[in-house]
């Protein structure tokens, strides 16, 4: 069969090229750079308000300088410019834009091979219009997830406002104000909602009304709308060179074109086929090595709308089968009765694995690896000796091929029984004495790695010891109980021996305690007797001086008896304090033991380099210790130190050197005794990972030195003539450097003469403590500001701890903080910041011995990067016992991913990915694996800065899909021509839905897995859409899980039959708890009636009566039944027509009707001679209204239509009014009164005119009065002032006053001269008034 390559046929459309580019982006491949040679042409102007008055065209070459530029107009040469020097852009002045300048412009530049391609066409239109922009698509050049598309709009002018419009939207979907002439509109993660026709327009920022013409429309089509196909290889995915291979790509849709792509060569290895069926076969006749790689396929229709990509299939073309690896967990050495799992690992997927045991011909187990996992498990439960042996695994092909099987590794499985039980004894006895401790000694006749002591009565952590000695104290009686011990050897670290026989420790109780109290009482009474006798003797001697001599013999006798009692008391006290006086009262005699041995340990204040400063401490359990002595290698006293208050002493050694290495002991001194030596403390100079020097000393000068290691024939190191001494250096001590070393000397010249080897020197690296348990109290994936506590613990006592972050020490805890028992340290971060993320670990030490580093805890601080997406493959619903893969896809490459499950603190899995996708495999899932999963990705180089958590994904482990629910929005009863959406929803997300219609064999519409909302829109609904619908889940993977259909939804299309009538009996208003009936009357018999209520999506009731009417009985109604009701009826048989909705009927369920509303027309203010109509309106029909006036007892008016005419004769219409109503069916029930409405007095136009006239008249009167007053005031000032004869006024003033009076009084009368008037003394004249 010949493969049809795309390059050999017709050229693909641009949308298909975009699809291939999206494939490249989705796989994280770098796109090929497209270097354009077109120049850029744009406009510049220095008149922003009127850009057409002065225009300059600029032409710019994309990447090189040029010597000539050419400007073209309407496909003819207009002008060309040869600049004075080579440049990359030139200008063409145009000047004012006129009709002669309009046209189509392009430009070119000169390059070595000739003129370049012309630029994009620039159209200059008539003055007053902006040039029409150009519009095109360019793929995103950076490898982002999904397919991102850039739409470029070229506006020809600088600093324009670019608007992006989409067909069907009035407002722009995006806008930009770039600094140049091109705007880039990005559409990220193309979806079906992004499809459509787009245009671009521009306008000047200062002139928002000046718009350009719309650009040419651009239609955007999205690929990946169909479900993904499946790709399988026949006969198998691994073949030898020269063999034939058939790849089958199968999809669910017929008549599609299928394409096969090899990712390693995406540009060339693209094959297409258009079969008649829904599958295509791609045949490789003779495979070659370069045909190996990762293949995927997809299909597309005639419009190049493509499907999703299938899962990648890897094809192997090789001569030799790849090697497999076999590992045993937890160890290849297992105790009898335990469980073990064997992991088989290999690079090939989809091929069976076979497990074999040496000595048996048949296969033990076959494992199917059709999943994408690289790890498979082989379990052995409750192992016995028969399970021991050598195991191996390799691939098992189910098809014939000439590939050679490679070698495979083997695992030797060893089954051992528990070691024999040890012996447990107590020293000095099994009974506690007050203030004393007991040492439990666990012994076994063979070398032991570690002992373990367990306390049967209390659930406490076991104690561990290397020498088998455990010190038990009985503080507050907590040491009594039954003990047992066990041990483990170095050969089998995970196997503990049988427990020893139990040993019971008892405390001082009962008779022993009373004996002690009685002894103390006897001692106290003897002391009191002694004091009393002494007092008696003193009294007798004082009396002797006053008695007669004849009575002296009696006093002497009494004094002798008293002294005898005193001697007896002293002897008894001495015996009692010596422990012999109470010997008859105690059950057990105490044995005097020597001073107990002290404890010796080392401390340092340099935890990372403990050998820099060293101090040895010696402590004694006896409180009477006076002094401590330190000894080295059992000989010689190094130093003595007095005991402190804590009964201990320090011996500083300083920096640890070779002279300090050796074995140390210490003694404690009391007044009359010396303690036993402490346990030996060995200081060694060999530290794991540090430098070690071995010094070899000879007896002759100028000799060569050679260092040998036991088991190695050749010298490990050789040094030339260095005198009589040589130093061999081991740069870093490791486990391989352990062993017996010796050195030899030889002459410098050939032939060598060798000395005898020196005494062997054994180098031993003391084993480290086991790694501690390190964890966080909460999840290590935290948000900024959270509180994190690290817990580092070990069963060893009195340890110091160090916390590391990314290998550096950040905190430490001294062992003095620890409480008795197992050691633990808590490190707290109160508020986590972005920089606190990282890999944390801890170690502990007691000076000479360090532990191994703990397992790291990765602290991830989230909310720094965008959230990833989490998908399940093949789907979120899985059968029990099957595998499921959770794929987490982030926004960036090279990240580390973590999978989390709700309810668990620690992430389930971690995975580092070179791309932006990580696959997490859940093996053989069960019911416990059901739940919500999420994932996060983070960078490992910058403090583990992580993303937001992904949206939770629910995984269902079941054999049956849950039942979905189907409903219609806005309602299942839809008028003709309207739109409706059928929603199919269920608890399972990430699975597609399929919609079925009754009596139809095929599904109406399929909603694929690319959408999870399950919406099935039906636009412009018609009678053909009437029917019963149901839906169910439609997974896009092959699965045997049972699928349940949803509920049945009946879709009714109204508007084809006359509308019915809807009545309420006994009426639209009823009291709560009463019954009512809604009667729907139709026009056709034997129809199905449906009762609807506003606000509910589904019909309330449905009936099919025999007549024309349906009665919907509603018993014991409540306030929730209030609302707007309507009904429709439809025919059950063809043509399935339905009526229009009936008129809405409002139902009131209440004890009292709602209050009406009251309004006045035309206003609430009376005008002269005008009436006011009050309108009372209620929500119910068939009612009678009544109007009430405040101050009047009886209702004023009754009305059936609610209109009341009010006049204002003699002002009686003014006041507050209210209205109410009653139902004609219930005349005794009145509604609540309406809100009061106030009518006010006359203030109409006539009154206003009258008022204005009065104001005008009053104003005129005031003005006239004020004017007269002003005139009178002026005249009064002009009148002369009359004087008496005897006044002292001179004659001149009187003459002037008279003269003025005469002039005003009689203009024709002559006046006297001033000389004549001045000569007289007084003149009396009449004054006119």
């Amino acid at each position: 069969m010949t493969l049809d390559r795309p390059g050999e046929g017709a050229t693909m459309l641009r949308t298909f090229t975009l699809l291939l580019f999206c494939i490249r982006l989705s796989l994280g491949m770098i796109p090929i750079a497209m270097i354009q040679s077109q120049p850029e042409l744009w406009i510049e102007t220095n008149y922003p308000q009127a850009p057409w008055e002065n225009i300059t065209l600029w032409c710019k070459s994309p990447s090189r300088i040029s010597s000539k530029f050419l400007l073209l107009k309407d496909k003819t040469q207009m002008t060309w410019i040869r600049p004075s020097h080579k440049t990359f852009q030139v200008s063409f002045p145009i000047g004012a834009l006129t009709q002669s300048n309009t046209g189509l412009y392009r430009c070119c530049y000169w390059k070595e091979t000739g003129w370049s391609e012309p630029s994009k066409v620039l159209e200059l239109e008539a003055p007053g219009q902006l040039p029409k922009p150009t519009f095109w698509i360019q793929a995103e050049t950076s490898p982002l997830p999904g397919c991102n598309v850039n739409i470029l709009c070229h506006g020809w002018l600088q600093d324009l406002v670019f608007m992006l419009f989409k067909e069907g939207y009035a407002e722009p979907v995006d806008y930009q104000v770039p600094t140049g002439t091109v705007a880039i509109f990005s559409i990220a993660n193309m979806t079906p909602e992004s499809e459509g026709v787009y245009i671009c327009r521009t306008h000047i920022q200062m002139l928002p009304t000046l718009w350009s013409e719309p650009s040419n429309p651009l239609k955007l089509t999205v690929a990946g709308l169909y479900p993904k196909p499946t790709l399988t290889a026949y006969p198998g995915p691994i073949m030898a060179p020269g063999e034939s291979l058939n790849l089958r790509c199968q999809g669910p849709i017929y008549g599609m074109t299928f394409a096969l792509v090899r990712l390693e060569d995406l540009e060339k290895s693209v094959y297409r086929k258009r079969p008649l069926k829904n599958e295509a076969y791609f045949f490789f006749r003779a495979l070659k090595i370069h045909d190996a790689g990762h293949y995927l396929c997809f299909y597309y229709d005639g419009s190049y709308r493509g499907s999703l990509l299938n899962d990648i299939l890897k094809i192997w073309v090789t001569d030799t089968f790849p090697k497999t690896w076999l590992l045993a967990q937890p160890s290849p050495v297992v105790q009898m009765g335990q469980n073990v799992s064997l992991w088989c690992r290999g690079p090939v997927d989809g091929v069976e694995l076979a497990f074999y045991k040496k000595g048996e011909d048949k296969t033990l187990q076959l494992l199917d690896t059709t999943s994408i996992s690289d790890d498979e498990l082989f379990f052995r439960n409750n192992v016995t000796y028969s399970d021991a042996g050598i195991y191996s695994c390799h691939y098992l092909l189910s098809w014939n091929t000439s590939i050679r099987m490679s070698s495979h590794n083997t695992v030797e499985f060893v089954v051992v029984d528990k070691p024999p039980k040890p012996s447990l004894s107590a020293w000095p006895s099994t009974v506690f004495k007050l203030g004393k401790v007991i040492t439990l000694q666990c012994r076994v006749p063979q070398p032991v790695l570690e002992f373990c002591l367990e306390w049967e009565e209390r659930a406490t952590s076991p104690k561990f010891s290397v020498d088998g000695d455990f010190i038990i104290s009985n503080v507050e009686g907590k040491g009594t109980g039954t003990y047992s011990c066990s041990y483990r050897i170095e050969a089998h670290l995970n196997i503990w021996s049988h427990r020893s026989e139990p040993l019971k420790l008892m405390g001082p109780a009962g008779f022993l305690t009373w004996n002690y109290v009685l002894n103390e009482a006897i001692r106290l009474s003897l002391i009191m007797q002694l004091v009393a006798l002494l007092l008696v003797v003193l009294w007798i001697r004082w009396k002797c001086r006053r008695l007669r001599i004849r009575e002296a013999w009696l006093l002497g006798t009494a004094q002798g008896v008293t002294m005898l009692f005193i001697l007896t008391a002293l002897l008894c006290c001495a015996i009692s304090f010596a422990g012999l006086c109470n010997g008859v009262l105690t059950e057990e005699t105490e044995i005097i033991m020597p001073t107990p041995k002290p404890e010796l340990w080392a401390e340092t204040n340099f935890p990372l380099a403990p050998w820099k400063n060293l101090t040895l401490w010696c402590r004694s359990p006896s409180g009477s210790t006076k002094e401590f002595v330190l000894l080295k290698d059992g000989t010689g006293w190094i130093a003595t130190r007095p005991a402190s208050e804590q009964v201990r002493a320090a011996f500083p050694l300083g920096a640890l050197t070779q002279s300090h290495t050796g074995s140390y002991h210490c003694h404690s001194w009391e007044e009359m005794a010396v303690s036993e030596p402490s346990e030996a403390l060995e200081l060694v100079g060999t530290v794991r990972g540090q430098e070690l020097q071995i010094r070899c000393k000879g007896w002759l000068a100028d000799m060569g030195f050679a260092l040998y290691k036991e088991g190695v024939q050749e010298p490990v190191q050789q040094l030339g003539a260095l005198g009589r001494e040589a130093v061999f250096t081991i740069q870093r001590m490791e486990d391989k450097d352990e062993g017996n070393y010796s050195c030899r000397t030889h002459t410098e010249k050939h032939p060598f003469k060798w000395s005898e080897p020196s005494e062997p020197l054994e180098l031993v690296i003391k084993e480290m403590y086991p790694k501690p348990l390190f964890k966080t109290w909460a999840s290590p994936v935290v948000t900024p500001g959270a509180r994190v506590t690290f817990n580092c613990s070990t069963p060893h006592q009195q340890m110091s701890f160090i916390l590391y972050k990314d290998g550096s020490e950040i905190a430490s805890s001294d062992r003095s903080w620890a409480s008795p028992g197992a050691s633990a340290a808590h490190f707290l971060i109160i508020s986590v910041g972005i920089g606190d993320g990282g890999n944390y670990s801890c170690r502990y030490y007691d000076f000479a011995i360090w532990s191994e580093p703990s397992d790291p805890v990765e602290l991830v601080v989230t909310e720094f990067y965008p959230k990833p997406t989490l998908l399940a493959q093949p789907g979120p619903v899985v059968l029990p016992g099957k595998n499921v893969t959770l794929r987490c896809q982030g926004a960036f490459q090279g990240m580390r991913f973590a999978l989390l499950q709700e309810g668990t603190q620690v992430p389930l899995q971690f995975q580092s990915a070179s791309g932006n996708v990580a696959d997490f495999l859940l093996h053989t899932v069960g019911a416990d694996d059901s739940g919500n999963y999420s994932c996060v990705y983070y960078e490992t180089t910058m403090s583990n800065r992580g993303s937001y958590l992904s949206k939770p994904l629910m995984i269902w482990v079941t054999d049956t899909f849950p039942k979905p629910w189907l409903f219609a929005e806005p309602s299942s009863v839809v008028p003709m021509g309207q739109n409706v959406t059928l929603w199919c929803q269920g608890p399972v997300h990430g699975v597609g839905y399929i919609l079925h219609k009754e009596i139809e064999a095929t599904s109406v519409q399929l909603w694929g897995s690319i959408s999870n909302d399950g919406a099935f829109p039906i636009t412009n609904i018609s009678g053909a859409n009437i029917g019963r619908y149901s839906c169910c889940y439609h997974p896009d993977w092959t699965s045997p899980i049972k699928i349940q259909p949803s509920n049945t939804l009946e879709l009714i299309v109204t508007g084809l039959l006359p509308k019915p009538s809807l009545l309420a009996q006994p009426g639209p208003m009823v009291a709560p708890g009463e019954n009512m009936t809604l009667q729907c009357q139709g026009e056709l018999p034997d129809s199905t009636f449906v009762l609807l209520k506003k606000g509910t999506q589904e019909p309330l009731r449905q009936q099919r009566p025999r007549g024309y009417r349906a009665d919907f009985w509603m018993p014991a109604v409540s306030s929730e039944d209030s609302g707007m009701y309507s009904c429709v009826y439809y025919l059950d048989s063809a043509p399935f027509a339905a009526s229009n909705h009936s008129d809405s009927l409002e139902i009131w369920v209440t004890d009292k009707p709602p209050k009406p509303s009251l309004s006045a027309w035309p206003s609430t203010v009376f005008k002269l001679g005008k009436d006011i109509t009050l309108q009372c309106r209620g929500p119910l029909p068939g009612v009678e209204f009544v109007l009430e006036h405040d101050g009047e007892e009886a209702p004023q008016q009754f009305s059936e239509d609610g209109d009341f005419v009010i006049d204002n004769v003699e002002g009686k219409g003014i006041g507050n009014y209210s209205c109410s109503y009653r139902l004609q069916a219930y005349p005794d029930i009145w509604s609540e009164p309406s809100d009061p409405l106030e009518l006010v007095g006359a203030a109409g136009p006539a009154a206003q005119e009258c008022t204005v006239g009065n104001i005008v008249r009053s104003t005129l009167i005031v003005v006239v009065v004020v004017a007269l007053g002003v005139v009178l005031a002026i005249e009064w000032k002009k009148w002369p002032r009359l004087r008496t004869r005897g006044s002292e006024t001179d004659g001149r003033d009187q003459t002037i006053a008279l003269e003025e009076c005469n002039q005003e009084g009689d203009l024709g009368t002559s006046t006297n001269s001033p000389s004549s008037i001045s000569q007289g003394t007084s003149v009396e004249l009449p004054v006119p008034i």
Side-chain angles (χ1 to χ4, degrees), residues 333-339 382-386 414-418 495:
V333 180
V334 185
Q335 181 181 330
M336 183 180 298
Q338 292 186 347
N339 302 332
N382 196 14
V383 296
T384 61
Y385 287 116
S386 60
V414 180
V415 179
V416 298
D417 195 3
K418 289 184 178 181
I495 299 178

Side-chain angles (χ1 to χ4, degrees), residues 475-626:
V475 178
E476 298 180 358
K478 295 182 178 180
T480 59
T482 304
Y483 293 83
S484 62
C485 71
S486 58
Y487 65 92
R488 61 177 177 176
I489 59 177
E490 188 174 3
H492 308 296
L493 297 178
N494 60 333
I495 299 178
W496 289 88
S497 69
H498 292 280
R499 289 189 181 183
S500 65
E501 295 294 336
L503 180 63
K504 187 173 183 180
L505 300 183
M506 297 181 298
F511 181 67
L512 297 179
T513 302
W514 284 110
N515 281 341
Y516 175 80
V517 174
L518 184 59
N519 292 337
E520 293 298 326
I522 292 175
R523 293 176 185 176
L524 182 61
S525 65
L526 291 176
I527 295 175
M528 294 177 65
Q529 290 178 16
L530 178 61
V531 174
L533 291 175
L534 288 176
L535 293 177
V536 169
V537 171
L538 293 177
W539 180 79
I540 291 175
R541 292 185 63 85
W542 176 71
K543 281 291 183 178
C544 284
R545 297 177 181 177
R546 305 179 62 181
L547 292 177
R548 293 186 297 270
I549 297 177
R550 62 176 175 268
E551 298 176 354
W553 66 269
L554 181 60
L555 292 178
T557 304
Q559 185 176 1
V561 173
T562 301
M563 292 302 298
L564 179 63
F565 275 102
I566 291 175
L567 293 176
T568 305
L570 290 175
L571 181 61
C572 190
C573 287
I575 296 174
S576 175
F577 283 110
L580 298 178
C581 184
N582 60 345
V584 296
L585 298 178
T586 57
E587 186 175 347
E588 182 180 285
T589 302
E590 181 179 358
I591 302 175
I592 301 176
M593 297 297 297
T595 304
K597 62 182 179 182
E599 179 186 6
L600 181 65
W601 75 93
E603 286 187 1
T604 177
N605 54 359
F606 290 90
L608 293 180
W611 51 89
K612 291 185 178 180
N613 191 9
L614 182 65
T615 300
L616 301 184
W617 287 84
C618 188
R619 179 173 56 191
S620 173
S622 176
S624 57
T625 301
K626 302 298 183 182

Side-chain angles (χ1 to χ4, degrees), residues 325-337:
W325 297 270
L326 187 62
L327 300 174
Q329 295 292 341
S331 171
V333 180
V334 185
Q335 181 181 330
M336 183 180 298

Side-chain angles (χ1 to χ4, degrees), residues 418-499:
K418 289 184 178 181
K421 61 184 179 182
S423 62
L424 183 63
S425 60
W427 184 89
S429 69
T430 59
V431 178
F432 281 102
K433 298 181 181 179
L434 293 179
K436 303 298 182 179
V437 298
I438 292 179
T439 301
L440 295 184
Q441 298 174 341
C442 189
R443 296 292 183 262
V444 69
Q446 59 182 353
V448 173
L449 177 65
E450 190 176 25
F451 291 91
C452 175
L453 181 67
E454 296 185 3
W455 195 0
E456 296 183 1
E457 282 80 0
R458 301 180 184 270
T460 57
S461 300
K463 294 185 177 182
F464 296 89
S465 172
V466 178
D467 56 2
D469 291 344
F470 303 92
I471 298 176
I472 309 297
S473 62
N474 193 32
V475 178
E476 298 180 358
K478 295 182 178 180
T480 59
T482 304
Y483 293 83
S484 62
C485 71
S486 58
Y487 65 92
R488 61 177 177 176
I489 59 177
E490 188 174 3
H492 308 296
L493 297 178
N494 60 333
I495 299 178
W496 289 88
S497 69
H498 292 280
R499 289 189 181 183

Side-chain angles (χ1 to χ4, degrees), residues 38 182 310 393 623 1224:
Q38 280 185 320
V182 179
N310 72 292
C393 81
Q1224 295 177 359

